[in-house]
Short mmCIF file of all heavy atoms in Angstrom, two decimals:
data_model
loop_
_atom_site.label_atom_id
_atom_site.label_comp_id
_atom_site.label_asym_id
_atom_site.label_seq_id
_atom_site.Cartn_x
_atom_site.Cartn_y
_atom_site.Cartn_z
N MET A 1160 0.83 -1.21 0.00
CA MET A 1160 0.00 0.00 0.00
C MET A 1160 0.86 1.26 0.00
O MET A 1160 1.72 1.44 0.85
CB MET A 1160 -0.91 0.02 1.24
CG MET A 1160 -2.15 -0.85 1.10
SD MET A 1160 -3.27 -0.17 -0.10
CE MET A 1160 -4.73 -1.16 0.24
N GLU A 1161 0.61 2.13 -0.92
CA GLU A 1161 1.36 3.37 -0.99
C GLU A 1161 0.62 4.45 -0.23
O GLU A 1161 -0.58 4.61 -0.37
CB GLU A 1161 1.54 3.77 -2.45
CG GLU A 1161 2.81 4.58 -2.67
CD GLU A 1161 3.05 4.84 -4.14
OE1 GLU A 1161 3.15 3.86 -4.90
OE2 GLU A 1161 3.10 6.01 -4.53
N LYS A 1162 1.37 5.16 0.56
CA LYS A 1162 0.76 6.22 1.35
C LYS A 1162 0.55 7.46 0.50
O LYS A 1162 1.43 7.85 -0.24
CB LYS A 1162 1.69 6.57 2.53
CG LYS A 1162 1.05 6.30 3.87
CD LYS A 1162 1.95 6.84 4.97
CE LYS A 1162 1.36 6.53 6.33
NZ LYS A 1162 2.27 6.96 7.39
N LYS A 1163 -0.61 8.02 0.63
CA LYS A 1163 -0.88 9.25 -0.11
C LYS A 1163 -0.20 10.41 0.61
O LYS A 1163 -0.40 10.62 1.80
CB LYS A 1163 -2.39 9.48 -0.16
CG LYS A 1163 -2.80 10.29 -1.37
CD LYS A 1163 -4.31 10.49 -1.37
CE LYS A 1163 -4.67 11.51 -2.43
NZ LYS A 1163 -6.05 11.97 -2.27
N LEU A 1164 0.62 11.12 -0.12
CA LEU A 1164 1.42 12.16 0.51
C LEU A 1164 0.70 13.51 0.55
O LEU A 1164 1.00 14.34 1.39
CB LEU A 1164 2.76 12.29 -0.21
CG LEU A 1164 3.88 12.89 0.64
CD1 LEU A 1164 4.32 11.91 1.72
CD2 LEU A 1164 5.08 13.24 -0.23
N THR A 1165 -0.23 13.69 -0.34
CA THR A 1165 -0.91 14.98 -0.41
C THR A 1165 -2.10 15.01 0.54
O THR A 1165 -2.98 14.17 0.48
CB THR A 1165 -1.38 15.28 -1.84
OG1 THR A 1165 -0.28 15.12 -2.71
CG2 THR A 1165 -1.92 16.68 -1.95
N LEU A 1166 -2.07 15.97 1.41
CA LEU A 1166 -3.18 16.17 2.34
C LEU A 1166 -3.73 17.58 2.15
O LEU A 1166 -3.01 18.48 1.74
CB LEU A 1166 -2.71 15.99 3.78
CG LEU A 1166 -2.39 14.55 4.20
CD1 LEU A 1166 -1.69 14.56 5.55
CD2 LEU A 1166 -3.65 13.71 4.29
N ILE A 1167 -4.97 17.72 2.48
CA ILE A 1167 -5.61 19.03 2.32
C ILE A 1167 -6.04 19.57 3.68
O ILE A 1167 -6.58 18.84 4.52
CB ILE A 1167 -6.82 18.91 1.36
CG1 ILE A 1167 -6.30 18.63 -0.05
CG2 ILE A 1167 -7.68 20.18 1.38
CD1 ILE A 1167 -7.36 18.26 -1.05
N CYS A 1168 -5.76 20.85 3.89
CA CYS A 1168 -6.15 21.49 5.15
C CYS A 1168 -7.67 21.58 5.23
O CYS A 1168 -8.31 22.05 4.30
CB CYS A 1168 -5.52 22.89 5.22
SG CYS A 1168 -5.98 23.79 6.72
N ASP A 1169 -8.20 21.12 6.34
CA ASP A 1169 -9.66 21.14 6.53
C ASP A 1169 -10.21 22.56 6.50
O ASP A 1169 -11.30 22.81 6.02
CB ASP A 1169 -10.01 20.52 7.89
CG ASP A 1169 -9.98 19.00 7.82
OD1 ASP A 1169 -10.04 18.46 6.70
OD2 ASP A 1169 -9.89 18.37 8.88
N LYS A 1170 -9.44 23.47 7.05
CA LYS A 1170 -9.89 24.85 7.18
C LYS A 1170 -9.82 25.62 5.87
O LYS A 1170 -10.75 26.28 5.46
CB LYS A 1170 -9.01 25.55 8.23
CG LYS A 1170 -9.82 26.30 9.28
CD LYS A 1170 -8.95 27.26 10.07
CE LYS A 1170 -8.04 26.55 11.05
NZ LYS A 1170 -7.18 27.48 11.80
N CYS A 1171 -8.66 25.50 5.20
CA CYS A 1171 -8.40 26.35 4.03
C CYS A 1171 -8.65 25.66 2.70
O CYS A 1171 -8.70 26.32 1.67
CB CYS A 1171 -6.96 26.86 4.07
SG CYS A 1171 -6.41 27.37 5.69
N LYS A 1172 -8.79 24.35 2.72
CA LYS A 1172 -9.01 23.57 1.49
C LYS A 1172 -7.88 23.74 0.48
O LYS A 1172 -8.11 23.83 -0.72
CB LYS A 1172 -10.36 23.95 0.83
CG LYS A 1172 -11.55 23.89 1.77
CD LYS A 1172 -11.85 22.47 2.21
CE LYS A 1172 -13.03 22.46 3.20
NZ LYS A 1172 -13.06 21.25 4.00
N VAL A 1173 -6.67 23.86 0.99
CA VAL A 1173 -5.51 23.92 0.11
C VAL A 1173 -4.57 22.75 0.43
O VAL A 1173 -4.60 22.21 1.55
CB VAL A 1173 -4.74 25.25 0.25
CG1 VAL A 1173 -5.57 26.42 -0.24
CG2 VAL A 1173 -4.28 25.47 1.67
N ASN A 1174 -3.76 22.38 -0.53
CA ASN A 1174 -2.81 21.29 -0.32
C ASN A 1174 -1.75 21.68 0.70
O ASN A 1174 -1.21 22.79 0.65
CB ASN A 1174 -2.10 20.95 -1.63
CG ASN A 1174 -2.99 20.13 -2.56
OD1 ASN A 1174 -3.99 19.57 -2.14
ND2 ASN A 1174 -2.62 20.08 -3.81
N LEU A 1175 -1.47 20.77 1.59
CA LEU A 1175 -0.39 21.00 2.54
C LEU A 1175 0.93 20.85 1.80
O LEU A 1175 1.06 20.04 0.90
CB LEU A 1175 -0.45 19.98 3.68
CG LEU A 1175 -1.74 19.94 4.51
CD1 LEU A 1175 -1.57 18.98 5.67
CD2 LEU A 1175 -2.13 21.31 5.02
N THR A 1176 1.90 21.65 2.17
CA THR A 1176 3.21 21.59 1.52
C THR A 1176 4.25 21.06 2.50
O THR A 1176 4.13 21.25 3.71
CB THR A 1176 3.64 22.98 1.02
OG1 THR A 1176 3.62 23.89 2.11
CG2 THR A 1176 2.71 23.48 -0.07
N LEU A 1177 5.26 20.42 1.94
CA LEU A 1177 6.31 19.84 2.77
C LEU A 1177 7.26 20.94 3.22
O LEU A 1177 7.77 21.72 2.41
CB LEU A 1177 7.06 18.78 1.95
CG LEU A 1177 7.78 17.69 2.72
CD1 LEU A 1177 6.83 16.95 3.66
CD2 LEU A 1177 8.41 16.71 1.75
N ALA A 1178 7.47 21.02 4.50
CA ALA A 1178 8.35 22.05 5.03
C ALA A 1178 9.31 21.44 6.04
O ALA A 1178 8.96 20.51 6.76
CB ALA A 1178 7.53 23.14 5.69
N ASN A 1179 10.50 21.98 6.07
CA ASN A 1179 11.49 21.53 7.05
C ASN A 1179 11.31 22.38 8.29
O ASN A 1179 11.69 23.54 8.32
CB ASN A 1179 12.89 21.69 6.45
CG ASN A 1179 13.86 20.69 7.04
OD1 ASN A 1179 13.54 19.95 7.96
ND2 ASN A 1179 15.07 20.68 6.53
N VAL A 1180 10.71 21.79 9.29
CA VAL A 1180 10.36 22.55 10.49
C VAL A 1180 11.31 22.22 11.63
O VAL A 1180 11.70 21.06 11.83
CB VAL A 1180 8.90 22.26 10.89
CG1 VAL A 1180 8.55 22.94 12.21
CG2 VAL A 1180 7.96 22.74 9.80
N HIS A 1181 11.69 23.24 12.35
CA HIS A 1181 12.56 23.06 13.51
C HIS A 1181 11.72 22.89 14.76
O HIS A 1181 10.82 23.68 15.03
CB HIS A 1181 13.46 24.29 13.64
CG HIS A 1181 14.36 24.22 14.82
ND1 HIS A 1181 14.15 24.95 15.96
CD2 HIS A 1181 15.47 23.48 15.05
CE1 HIS A 1181 15.10 24.66 16.84
NE2 HIS A 1181 15.91 23.77 16.32
N PHE A 1182 12.00 21.81 15.48
CA PHE A 1182 11.24 21.52 16.69
C PHE A 1182 12.13 21.64 17.91
O PHE A 1182 13.31 21.31 17.88
CB PHE A 1182 10.71 20.09 16.65
CG PHE A 1182 9.56 19.90 15.69
CD1 PHE A 1182 9.80 19.50 14.39
CD2 PHE A 1182 8.26 20.14 16.09
CE1 PHE A 1182 8.75 19.33 13.50
CE2 PHE A 1182 7.22 19.98 15.21
CZ PHE A 1182 7.46 19.57 13.92
N SER A 1183 11.55 22.10 18.95
CA SER A 1183 12.23 22.11 20.24
C SER A 1183 11.32 21.37 21.20
O SER A 1183 10.19 21.77 21.45
CB SER A 1183 12.44 23.55 20.70
OG SER A 1183 13.20 23.55 21.88
N TYR A 1184 11.82 20.25 21.67
CA TYR A 1184 10.96 19.40 22.48
C TYR A 1184 11.77 18.78 23.61
O TYR A 1184 12.78 18.12 23.37
CB TYR A 1184 10.35 18.31 21.58
CG TYR A 1184 9.34 17.41 22.26
CD1 TYR A 1184 8.15 17.94 22.76
CD2 TYR A 1184 9.57 16.05 22.40
CE1 TYR A 1184 7.23 17.13 23.38
CE2 TYR A 1184 8.65 15.23 23.03
CZ TYR A 1184 7.48 15.76 23.51
OH TYR A 1184 6.57 14.95 24.13
N LEU A 1185 11.35 19.01 24.83
CA LEU A 1185 12.04 18.49 26.01
C LEU A 1185 13.54 18.76 25.97
O LEU A 1185 14.36 17.87 26.18
CB LEU A 1185 11.80 16.98 26.15
CG LEU A 1185 10.35 16.54 26.41
CD1 LEU A 1185 10.26 15.02 26.42
CD2 LEU A 1185 9.83 17.08 27.74
N ASP A 1186 13.90 20.00 25.64
CA ASP A 1186 15.30 20.41 25.56
C ASP A 1186 16.06 19.78 24.41
O ASP A 1186 17.27 19.91 24.31
CB ASP A 1186 16.04 20.12 26.88
CG ASP A 1186 15.61 21.08 27.98
OD1 ASP A 1186 15.07 22.15 27.65
OD2 ASP A 1186 15.79 20.75 29.15
N HIS A 1187 15.38 19.07 23.55
CA HIS A 1187 16.02 18.52 22.35
C HIS A 1187 15.58 19.35 21.16
O HIS A 1187 14.42 19.73 21.05
CB HIS A 1187 15.60 17.07 22.11
CG HIS A 1187 16.24 16.11 23.07
ND1 HIS A 1187 17.25 15.25 22.71
CD2 HIS A 1187 16.01 15.88 24.38
CE1 HIS A 1187 17.60 14.53 23.76
NE2 HIS A 1187 16.86 14.91 24.79
N ASN A 1188 16.54 19.60 20.28
CA ASN A 1188 16.20 20.32 19.07
C ASN A 1188 16.43 19.42 17.88
O ASN A 1188 17.46 18.76 17.78
CB ASN A 1188 17.08 21.57 18.93
CG ASN A 1188 16.75 22.58 20.01
OD1 ASN A 1188 15.67 23.12 20.06
ND2 ASN A 1188 17.72 22.81 20.89
N PHE A 1189 15.48 19.38 17.02
CA PHE A 1189 15.66 18.59 15.80
C PHE A 1189 14.82 19.16 14.67
O PHE A 1189 13.87 19.91 14.89
CB PHE A 1189 15.31 17.11 16.04
CG PHE A 1189 13.91 16.86 16.55
CD1 PHE A 1189 12.91 16.49 15.66
CD2 PHE A 1189 13.62 16.98 17.89
CE1 PHE A 1189 11.61 16.25 16.12
CE2 PHE A 1189 12.32 16.75 18.36
CZ PHE A 1189 11.33 16.38 17.48
N ARG A 1190 15.24 18.80 13.47
CA ARG A 1190 14.50 19.24 12.29
C ARG A 1190 13.77 18.06 11.71
O ARG A 1190 14.25 16.94 11.75
CB ARG A 1190 15.46 19.81 11.25
CG ARG A 1190 15.97 21.16 11.63
CD ARG A 1190 16.85 21.73 10.54
NE ARG A 1190 17.20 23.10 10.87
CZ ARG A 1190 16.41 24.13 10.60
NH1 ARG A 1190 15.26 23.94 10.00
NH2 ARG A 1190 16.76 25.34 10.94
N HIS A 1191 12.62 18.33 11.18
CA HIS A 1191 11.86 17.26 10.59
C HIS A 1191 11.00 17.80 9.46
O HIS A 1191 10.49 18.90 9.56
CB HIS A 1191 10.98 16.60 11.66
CG HIS A 1191 10.53 15.23 11.29
ND1 HIS A 1191 11.28 14.11 11.59
CD2 HIS A 1191 9.44 14.80 10.63
CE1 HIS A 1191 10.63 13.05 11.14
NE2 HIS A 1191 9.53 13.43 10.55
N LYS A 1192 10.90 16.98 8.41
CA LYS A 1192 10.05 17.41 7.30
C LYS A 1192 8.61 17.08 7.64
O LYS A 1192 8.27 15.93 7.93
CB LYS A 1192 10.48 16.71 6.02
CG LYS A 1192 11.68 17.38 5.41
CD LYS A 1192 11.83 17.02 3.95
CE LYS A 1192 12.92 17.88 3.33
NZ LYS A 1192 13.97 17.10 2.73
N VAL A 1193 7.79 18.08 7.65
CA VAL A 1193 6.38 17.87 7.95
C VAL A 1193 5.52 18.54 6.89
O VAL A 1193 5.96 19.45 6.19
CB VAL A 1193 5.99 18.44 9.34
CG1 VAL A 1193 6.67 17.69 10.45
CG2 VAL A 1193 6.31 19.92 9.41
N LEU A 1194 4.29 18.07 6.81
CA LEU A 1194 3.34 18.71 5.91
C LEU A 1194 2.69 19.88 6.65
O LEU A 1194 2.20 19.72 7.75
CB LEU A 1194 2.28 17.70 5.46
CG LEU A 1194 2.79 16.65 4.46
CD1 LEU A 1194 1.78 15.53 4.32
CD2 LEU A 1194 3.09 17.27 3.11
N ARG A 1195 2.72 21.02 6.00
CA ARG A 1195 2.19 22.22 6.64
C ARG A 1195 1.29 22.98 5.68
O ARG A 1195 1.56 23.04 4.48
CB ARG A 1195 3.35 23.10 7.09
CG ARG A 1195 2.91 24.27 7.95
CD ARG A 1195 4.08 24.96 8.57
NE ARG A 1195 4.99 25.49 7.55
CZ ARG A 1195 6.04 26.25 7.82
NH1 ARG A 1195 6.36 26.52 9.06
NH2 ARG A 1195 6.81 26.71 6.87
N CYS A 1196 0.27 23.58 6.23
CA CYS A 1196 -0.64 24.38 5.42
C CYS A 1196 0.00 25.74 5.15
O CYS A 1196 0.39 26.42 6.09
CB CYS A 1196 -1.97 24.55 6.14
SG CYS A 1196 -3.08 25.67 5.28
N PRO A 1197 0.13 26.12 3.87
CA PRO A 1197 0.75 27.41 3.54
C PRO A 1197 -0.13 28.59 3.94
O PRO A 1197 0.34 29.72 4.01
CB PRO A 1197 0.94 27.33 2.02
CG PRO A 1197 -0.06 26.34 1.55
CD PRO A 1197 -0.29 25.36 2.67
N GLU A 1198 -1.40 28.35 4.17
CA GLU A 1198 -2.33 29.42 4.51
C GLU A 1198 -2.35 29.73 6.01
O GLU A 1198 -2.08 30.84 6.43
CB GLU A 1198 -3.75 29.05 4.06
CG GLU A 1198 -3.92 28.97 2.55
CD GLU A 1198 -3.84 30.35 1.89
OE1 GLU A 1198 -4.36 31.31 2.45
OE2 GLU A 1198 -3.26 30.42 0.78
N CYS A 1199 -2.65 28.71 6.81
CA CYS A 1199 -2.82 28.95 8.25
C CYS A 1199 -1.64 28.43 9.08
O CYS A 1199 -1.55 28.69 10.27
CB CYS A 1199 -4.13 28.33 8.74
SG CYS A 1199 -4.17 26.53 8.68
N GLY A 1200 -0.73 27.70 8.42
CA GLY A 1200 0.46 27.23 9.12
C GLY A 1200 0.22 25.99 9.97
O GLY A 1200 1.08 25.57 10.74
N GLN A 1201 -0.95 25.41 9.83
CA GLN A 1201 -1.29 24.19 10.57
C GLN A 1201 -0.34 23.06 10.15
O GLN A 1201 -0.16 22.81 8.97
CB GLN A 1201 -2.74 23.81 10.28
CG GLN A 1201 -3.21 22.49 10.89
CD GLN A 1201 -3.32 22.55 12.40
OE1 GLN A 1201 -3.89 23.46 12.95
NE2 GLN A 1201 -2.75 21.58 13.06
N VAL A 1202 0.26 22.41 11.11
CA VAL A 1202 1.20 21.33 10.83
C VAL A 1202 0.53 19.98 11.03
O VAL A 1202 -0.17 19.77 12.01
CB VAL A 1202 2.44 21.46 11.76
CG1 VAL A 1202 3.33 20.24 11.66
CG2 VAL A 1202 3.21 22.71 11.41
N TYR A 1203 0.75 19.13 10.07
CA TYR A 1203 0.23 17.78 10.19
C TYR A 1203 1.29 16.90 10.83
O TYR A 1203 2.38 16.73 10.30
CB TYR A 1203 -0.15 17.23 8.82
CG TYR A 1203 -0.54 15.77 8.84
CD1 TYR A 1203 -1.80 15.39 9.31
CD2 TYR A 1203 0.34 14.79 8.40
CE1 TYR A 1203 -2.16 14.06 9.34
CE2 TYR A 1203 -0.02 13.45 8.43
CZ TYR A 1203 -1.26 13.09 8.90
OH TYR A 1203 -1.62 11.78 8.94
N LEU A 1204 1.00 16.37 12.01
CA LEU A 1204 1.96 15.51 12.70
C LEU A 1204 1.81 14.09 12.19
O LEU A 1204 0.83 13.41 12.44
CB LEU A 1204 1.71 15.55 14.21
CG LEU A 1204 2.01 16.88 14.92
CD1 LEU A 1204 1.79 16.73 16.41
CD2 LEU A 1204 3.43 17.35 14.67
N SER A 1205 2.82 13.67 11.45
CA SER A 1205 2.82 12.33 10.90
C SER A 1205 3.15 11.32 11.99
O SER A 1205 3.70 11.66 13.03
CB SER A 1205 3.83 12.23 9.77
OG SER A 1205 5.12 12.45 10.26
N GLU A 1206 2.81 10.08 11.72
CA GLU A 1206 3.14 9.01 12.68
C GLU A 1206 4.64 8.96 12.91
O GLU A 1206 5.11 8.67 14.00
CB GLU A 1206 2.68 7.67 12.12
CG GLU A 1206 1.19 7.43 12.31
CD GLU A 1206 0.73 6.13 11.68
OE1 GLU A 1206 1.52 5.18 11.70
OE2 GLU A 1206 -0.39 6.09 11.17
N GLU A 1207 5.38 9.25 11.84
CA GLU A 1207 6.84 9.23 11.90
C GLU A 1207 7.34 10.26 12.91
O GLU A 1207 8.23 9.99 13.70
CB GLU A 1207 7.37 9.55 10.51
CG GLU A 1207 8.83 9.23 10.32
CD GLU A 1207 9.38 9.89 9.07
OE1 GLU A 1207 8.61 10.11 8.12
OE2 GLU A 1207 10.58 10.19 9.08
N LEU A 1208 6.73 11.43 12.87
CA LEU A 1208 7.15 12.50 13.78
C LEU A 1208 6.76 12.18 15.21
O LEU A 1208 7.52 12.42 16.14
CB LEU A 1208 6.52 13.82 13.33
CG LEU A 1208 6.89 15.03 14.20
CD1 LEU A 1208 8.40 15.22 14.25
CD2 LEU A 1208 6.24 16.29 13.67
N VAL A 1209 5.59 11.61 15.39
CA VAL A 1209 5.15 11.23 16.73
C VAL A 1209 6.11 10.19 17.30
O VAL A 1209 6.48 10.24 18.47
CB VAL A 1209 3.70 10.68 16.68
CG1 VAL A 1209 3.30 10.09 18.03
CG2 VAL A 1209 2.73 11.80 16.31
N ALA A 1210 6.55 9.26 16.44
CA ALA A 1210 7.51 8.24 16.85
C ALA A 1210 8.83 8.89 17.26
O ALA A 1210 9.46 8.49 18.24
CB ALA A 1210 7.74 7.24 15.72
N LYS A 1211 9.23 9.89 16.50
CA LYS A 1211 10.47 10.61 16.78
C LYS A 1211 10.37 11.31 18.14
O LYS A 1211 11.32 11.30 18.93
CB LYS A 1211 10.72 11.63 15.66
CG LYS A 1211 11.86 12.57 15.90
CD LYS A 1211 13.19 11.95 15.56
CE LYS A 1211 14.35 12.89 15.91
NZ LYS A 1211 15.63 12.19 15.93
N MET A 1212 9.23 11.89 18.42
CA MET A 1212 9.04 12.57 19.69
C MET A 1212 9.08 11.59 20.85
O MET A 1212 9.61 11.89 21.92
CB MET A 1212 7.71 13.31 19.68
CG MET A 1212 7.81 14.61 18.90
SD MET A 1212 6.27 15.52 18.93
CE MET A 1212 6.85 17.17 18.53
N LYS A 1213 8.54 10.40 20.63
CA LYS A 1213 8.56 9.37 21.67
C LYS A 1213 9.98 8.94 21.93
O LYS A 1213 10.38 8.67 23.07
CB LYS A 1213 7.72 8.17 21.22
CG LYS A 1213 6.23 8.47 21.29
CD LYS A 1213 5.43 7.21 21.60
CE LYS A 1213 3.96 7.55 21.82
NZ LYS A 1213 3.11 7.02 20.78
N GLU A 1214 10.76 8.89 20.86
CA GLU A 1214 12.18 8.53 20.93
C GLU A 1214 12.92 9.55 21.80
O GLU A 1214 13.69 9.20 22.67
CB GLU A 1214 12.74 8.56 19.51
CG GLU A 1214 13.93 7.67 19.27
CD GLU A 1214 14.33 7.77 17.81
OE1 GLU A 1214 13.67 7.14 16.96
OE2 GLU A 1214 15.29 8.50 17.53
N VAL A 1215 12.65 10.81 21.53
CA VAL A 1215 13.26 11.90 22.29
C VAL A 1215 12.85 11.79 23.76
O VAL A 1215 13.66 11.94 24.67
CB VAL A 1215 12.85 13.27 21.70
CG1 VAL A 1215 13.26 14.39 22.64
CG2 VAL A 1215 13.46 13.47 20.33
N GLU A 1216 11.60 11.52 23.97
CA GLU A 1216 11.06 11.36 25.31
C GLU A 1216 11.79 10.24 26.07
O GLU A 1216 12.16 10.39 27.22
CB GLU A 1216 9.58 10.97 25.20
CG GLU A 1216 8.66 11.85 26.00
CD GLU A 1216 7.22 11.62 25.62
OE1 GLU A 1216 6.70 10.54 26.01
OE2 GLU A 1216 6.61 12.47 24.94
N ALA A 1217 11.99 9.12 25.38
CA ALA A 1217 12.66 7.97 25.99
C ALA A 1217 14.10 8.32 26.37
O ALA A 1217 14.58 7.96 27.43
CB ALA A 1217 12.64 6.80 25.02
N THR A 1218 14.78 9.05 25.47
CA THR A 1218 16.15 9.47 25.72
C THR A 1218 16.20 10.36 26.95
O THR A 1218 17.07 10.26 27.80
CB THR A 1218 16.69 10.26 24.51
OG1 THR A 1218 16.42 9.53 23.34
CG2 THR A 1218 18.19 10.49 24.63
N PHE A 1219 15.21 11.22 27.04
CA PHE A 1219 15.13 12.18 28.13
C PHE A 1219 14.94 11.46 29.46
O PHE A 1219 15.54 11.78 30.47
CB PHE A 1219 13.95 13.11 27.85
CG PHE A 1219 13.85 14.27 28.82
CD1 PHE A 1219 14.73 15.35 28.70
CD2 PHE A 1219 12.90 14.29 29.82
CE1 PHE A 1219 14.65 16.41 29.59
CE2 PHE A 1219 12.81 15.35 30.70
CZ PHE A 1219 13.69 16.41 30.59
N GLU A 1220 14.09 10.44 29.44
CA GLU A 1220 13.78 9.72 30.67
C GLU A 1220 14.93 8.85 31.17
O GLU A 1220 15.06 8.57 32.33
CB GLU A 1220 12.54 8.84 30.45
CG GLU A 1220 11.26 9.66 30.56
CD GLU A 1220 10.05 8.92 30.03
OE1 GLU A 1220 10.17 7.74 29.70
OE2 GLU A 1220 8.99 9.55 29.94
N ASP A 1221 15.78 8.44 30.22
CA ASP A 1221 16.94 7.61 30.56
C ASP A 1221 17.95 8.34 31.42
O ASP A 1221 18.69 7.73 32.18
CB ASP A 1221 17.64 7.10 29.29
CG ASP A 1221 16.90 5.91 28.70
OD1 ASP A 1221 16.02 5.38 29.40
OD2 ASP A 1221 17.22 5.50 27.57
N LYS A 1222 17.99 9.67 31.27
CA LYS A 1222 19.01 10.44 31.95
C LYS A 1222 18.70 10.69 33.43
O LYS A 1222 17.55 10.66 33.81
CB LYS A 1222 19.18 11.77 31.23
CG LYS A 1222 20.09 11.57 30.04
CD LYS A 1222 20.24 12.85 29.22
CE LYS A 1222 21.01 12.54 27.94
NZ LYS A 1222 20.97 13.66 27.05
ZN1 LIG B 1359 -4.98 25.85 6.56
#
């Protein structure tokens, strides 16, 4: 099954665009490509990104 990469913003009805967004989470900084609405800036959190955040969380808890 191929994942559909194009998503549409519910609010603006425009295609989300891929953006390299800088995240700061639990004192960790990382960049991640996410789909973002060019109109309202709404970011779509992919499963991949959620997994990454959990990873960061786990690292944080280990210390
Ligand atoms: Zn939007």
Side-chain angles (χ1 to χ4, degrees):
M1160 280 291 192
E1161 208 174 302
K1162 242 187 183 176
K1163 206 180 170 193
L1164 204 71
T1165 308
L1166 288 169
I1167 291 170
C1168 178
D1169 281 341
K1170 229 194 287 179
C1171 318
K1172 308 293 178 201
V1173 294
N1174 283 344
L1175 302 186
T1176 55
L1177 204 56
N1179 207 355
V1180 175
H1181 178 255
F1182 287 93
S1183 185
Y1184 185 63
L1185 295 176
D1186 288 339
H1187 286 253
N1188 293 295
F1189 57 98
R1190 286 184 173 276
H1191 200 88
K1192 280 200 171 123
V1193 294
L1194 287 168
R1195 189 170 60 174
C1196 174
E1198 293 290 322
C1199 67
Q1201 175 69 49
V1202 171
Y1203 173 77
L1204 292 183
S1205 63
E1206 280 177 35
E1207 195 195 332
L1208 180 57
V1209 172
K1211 172 82 184 165
M1212 282 182 159
K1213 286 211 174 112
E1214 206 178 282
V1215 169
E1216 233 168 72
T1218 311
F1219 187 75
E1220 280 166 7
D1221 280 349
K1222 278 177 187 171

